[in-house]
Amino acid sequence: MRIGRISFISRVMLALLITAEMAAGGQAMAAEPEAKVIPAGSFMRGSGRAQREAAYHMDEVAYGHSRTRAQQWYENEFPYGPEETGGYVILRHLVTNREYQAFVMDTGHPSPDVTSDTWQGYGLIHPFSRTRRHAWQGQQYPQGRADHPVVLVSVADAEAYAQWLSEKTGQPWRLPVEAEWERAARGDDGRWFPWGNEFDAVRLNSHDRGPFDTLPVGHFVEGQSPFGVMDMAGQVFEWTATAAGPGRRIVKGGSWDDKGCGICRAAARHSRPEDLKHILVGFRLVRDLE
């Protein structure tokens, strides 16, 4: 509870500082959001056959069918082995509605939303009516969702927020590349999930225990990664800077809609069109370590 309370206060203070800066004409630098340092070094990336088979089995038990196995969802994962990253700093929490609102109000950037025609064009399973609980009214996020992760944002939206935050803090924020995201999620020892190799539904927001919706960030303290980064399994998928073919990006982490949860493993890879505005996709940012 103490960790969660401190995180909440940090996010509130950031929003207040940015609002005060806006009122003063934008002259002062805003406080940097809460983040964790990942030093330069090596980590164990990807998965082996045993892990992939275990992931398929988890899905089969949860869903009662073998669709992910038949469609070979996990066959594009990197072979298990060491990978190097430089040093970087990563936001401890997903960007929230409260934080994104400061950006929207300061810049006039379009608020998170999607039209019925656009949503139907995506061909997704979720009905359009389900997007309404996440959609903003003007520059106001949905009531009671200040500290939920912002969703219905495209790659361009996330990158615009990163540019704005960079200007406000004087630090060069950006979307993480896939390797940076994966290392922050699983640590250096190659664990499957942020907490270890065994799936534990009480440590994340997935469909296994509900509520089949987003939750305030930082709720699952026991699910944090070895580096202390929160919500890197379940909650919402996260955009990365890594391309997955023309006009597509890798997303990582799984979501509140998933159960099993093979897709929630740090090694799992999934791609989406970069202009997609989905209720299952949000983002966090990184910057290079000075």
Side-chain angles (χ1 to χ4, degrees):
M1 291 296 294
R2 183 175 177 81
I3 293 176
R5 179 64 175 167
I6 292 171
S7 300
F8 172 78
I9 292 172
S10 297
R11 295 193 298 274
V12 172
M13 289 302 296
L14 172 63
L16 290 174
L17 283 166
I18 292 174
T19 302
E21 178 192 357
M22 290 156 45
Q27 299 302 313
M29 289 295 181
E32 202 171 286
E34 185 179 6
K36 293 294 182 180
V37 173
I38 316 293
S42 176
F43 77 106
M44 296 303 294
R45 186 183 193 183
S47 65
R49 188 74 255 157
Q51 183 182 154
R52 296 178 199 180
E53 287 297 325
Y56 289 131
H57 180 68
M58 286 188 288
D59 292 352
E60 289 164 348
V61 171
Y63 289 104
H65 59 67
S66 300
R67 198 163 301 148
T68 59
R69 185 188 295 275
Q71 296 176 359
Q72 298 187 315
W73 274 30
Y74 308 131
E75 299 310 310
N76 68 337
E77 295 174 14
F78 287 93
Y80 188 66
E83 177 80 13
E84 296 281 338
T85 74
Y88 57 101
V89 176
I90 187 167
L91 295 185
R92 189 179 189 212
H93 300 285
L94 288 148
V95 174
T96 66
N97 285 316
R98 186 198 306 274
E99 292 164 336
Y100 199 81
Q101 185 188 46
F103 156 66
V104 169
M105 293 179 68
D106 193 26
T107 65
H109 190 88
S111 299
D113 199 357
V114 63
T115 67
S116 177
D117 287 346
T118 297
W119 186 260
Q120 299 303 328
Y122 293 155
L124 302 171
I125 294 175
H126 293 273
F128 176 72
S129 59
R130 195 166 290 153
T131 69
R132 297 304 84 198
R133 68 192 187 197
H134 302 282
W136 291 34
Q137 296 295 319
Q139 295 183 331
Q140 181 58 53
Y141 50 77
Q143 186 175 7
R145 292 177 179 265
D147 294 308
H148 287 230
V150 65
V151 294
L152 293 174
V153 287
S154 66
V155 167
D157 294 328
E159 291 177 339
Y161 178 87
Q163 180 178 352
W164 172 83
L165 186 63
S166 298
E167 293 170 355
K168 292 299 179 183
T169 62
Q171 300 287 352
W173 292 98
R174 57 179 173 80
L175 286 172
V177 297
E178 184 180 3
E180 291 170 332
W181 190 98
E182 186 171 334
R183 186 179 177 203
R186 72 193 303 185
D188 294 342
D189 59 7
R191 60 187 62 189
W192 299 5
F193 299 99
W195 54 85
N197 289 356
E198 298 294 328
F199 178 67
D200 185 350
V202 304
R203 295 176 184 261
L204 79 167
N205 180 13
S206 70
H207 194 186
D208 299 273
R209 292 174 60 89
F212 200 61
D213 194 359
T214 55
L215 287 170
V217 300
H219 182 80
F220 296 92
V221 176
E222 293 185 353
Q224 66 184 310
S225 81
F227 290 109
V229 187
M230 307 291 288
D231 292 315
M232 301 202 80
Q235 186 77 292
V236 293
F237 282 100
E238 302 182 32
W239 289 117
T240 74
T242 299
R248 298 183 71 88
R249 294 289 182 94
I250 293 292
V251 294
K252 302 282 282 185
S255 74
W256 53 262
D257 180 52
D258 298 297
K259 59 183 178 179
C261 189
I263 196 67
C264 299
R265 293 172 301 113
R269 312 177 74 232
H270 191 47
S271 73
R272 287 292 189 181
E274 59 188 18
D275 61 352
L276 180 73
K277 298 191 176 194
H278 202 316
I279 58 177
L280 301 183
V281 184
F283 70 99
R284 78 180 78 221
L285 303 175
V286 302
R287 63 173 176 80
D288 294 330
L289 187 61
E290 297 174 349

